[in-house]
Amino acid sequence: DQQVKQNSPSLSVQEGRISILNCDYTNSMFDYFLWYKKYPAEGPTFLISISSIKDKNEDGRFTVFLNKSAKHLSLHIVPSQPGDSAVYFCAALYGGATNKLIFGTGTLLAVQP
Amino acid sequence: NAGVTQTPKFQVLKTGQSMTLQCAQDMNHEYMSWYRQDPGMGLRLIHYSVGAGITDQGEVPNGYNVSRSTTEDFPLRLLSAAPSQTSVYFCASSYQPGSTDTQYFGPGTRLTVL
């Protein structure tokens, strides 16, 4: 049972436009959400996160929005650049003594020049 | 700092063979973990450790053993490899197990079991 879902396996966007990556979750106990970016043959790298007590977090070109009532979060990249082309993983976490990240299946973003 | 390092990068095993995937970090991180990535499944937690001498199971622990004798190293052992263990394995570490602490991932080990 997939607790964190990324229903779009891939997304193609023109350079300079907005990229919107979506993520849905089922477990209402999740209290922290993260986005990771992964290039081929490399490990995932942390991109941006948001606590469940917030509905928006912004870091440069990257903004994450959280809608708790809908159990939905999204990552906005504005403007998109070719170097943003990668697989993006949404991950969720619930409280406790350990980091037990639950990952989504990933979305492959292709930014066309 | 080298960060999180993993060896080997690639490995091919025959069914029933055993091997150890190595993971080391030089950031003095307390928390370390192993994930596997499979197509259409995302990354799934295999085992984790909150400090030297302490390990626990994650979401998919069967077929894998771990130990944590030092802060720096967290090897993953496959005792009797099976084709279902064909995957890309990632090791990760963070300073302490807290929800706001970033996990740093190694480059991965691509394992094929024939």
Side-chain angles (χ1 to χ4, degrees):
Chain A
D1 182 27
Q2 196 76 21
Q3 297 185 68
V4 179
K5 303 176 185 178
Q6 294 176 257
N7 292 319
S8 298
S10 63
L11 175 68
S12 182
V13 172
Q14 288 295 119
E15 181 178 4
R17 307 293 291 267
I18 184 172
S19 295
I20 300 176
L21 295 93
N22 293 305
C23 178
D24 297 293
Y25 62 96
T26 57
N27 190 339
S28 58
M29 297 296 290
F30 289 141
D31 57 9
Y32 204 74
F33 302 90
L34 307 92
W35 285 94
Y36 280 81
K37 176 179 179 180
K38 184 184 179 304
Y39 292 117
E42 295 183 10
T45 56
F46 170 75
L47 188 59
I48 192 169
S49 62
I50 187 167
S51 165
S52 60
I53 64 173
K54 296 186 176 181
D55 55 19
K56 177 183 174 181
N57 189 27
E58 190 172 357
D59 184 1
R61 296 187 297 114
F62 303 91
T63 303
V64 56
F65 295 92
L66 175 63
N67 182 334
K68 282 199 300 182
S69 61
K71 294 190 176 70
H72 176 83
L73 65 156
S74 60
L75 174 68
H76 292 211
I77 306 173
V78 181
S80 300
Q81 299 174 354
D84 296 329
S85 297
V87 177
Y88 289 79
F89 290 99
C90 170
L93 178 68
Y94 52 89
T98 58
N99 274 3
K100 290 187 179 181
L101 284 176
I102 307 296
F103 281 86
T105 53
T107 297
L108 174 62
L109 173 65
V111 180
Q112 309 296 335
Chain B
N1 283 354
V4 180
T5 57
Q6 292 183 239
T7 55
K9 291 191 187 310
F10 303 94
Q11 183 69 51
V12 179
L13 291 177
K14 294 181 179 178
T15 297
Q17 287 185 315
S18 63
M19 80 158 295
T20 299
L21 280 63
Q22 300 293 344
C23 174
Q25 52 89 10
D26 61 359
M27 297 175 283
N28 201 31
H29 285 173
E30 290 294 324
Y31 183 84
M32 297 185 74
S33 54
W34 277 100
Y35 292 86
R36 59 177 288 175
Q37 183 193 5
D38 302 294
M41 299 293 291
L43 282 82
R44 293 180 293 169
L45 182 65
I46 304 172
H47 284 286
Y48 64 93
S49 169
V50 299
I54 306 169
T55 63
D56 206 346
Q57 296 181 351
E59 184 184 358
V60 288
N62 292 340
Y64 308 96
N65 278 355
V66 292
S67 60
R68 184 94 179 271
S69 56
T70 67
T71 299
E72 295 78 19
D73 300 297
F74 191 44
L76 179 71
R77 298 185 188 84
L78 282 72
L79 300 178
S80 179
S84 61
Q85 294 178 304
T86 294
S87 187
V88 182
Y89 292 84
F90 292 99
C91 179
S93 73
S94 61
Y95 181 62
Q96 59 183 1
S99 61
T100 61
D101 193 44
T102 302
Q103 287 201 55
Y104 296 87
F105 284 82
T109 294
R110 184 174 293 274
L111 175 67
T112 301
V113 182
L114 303 176

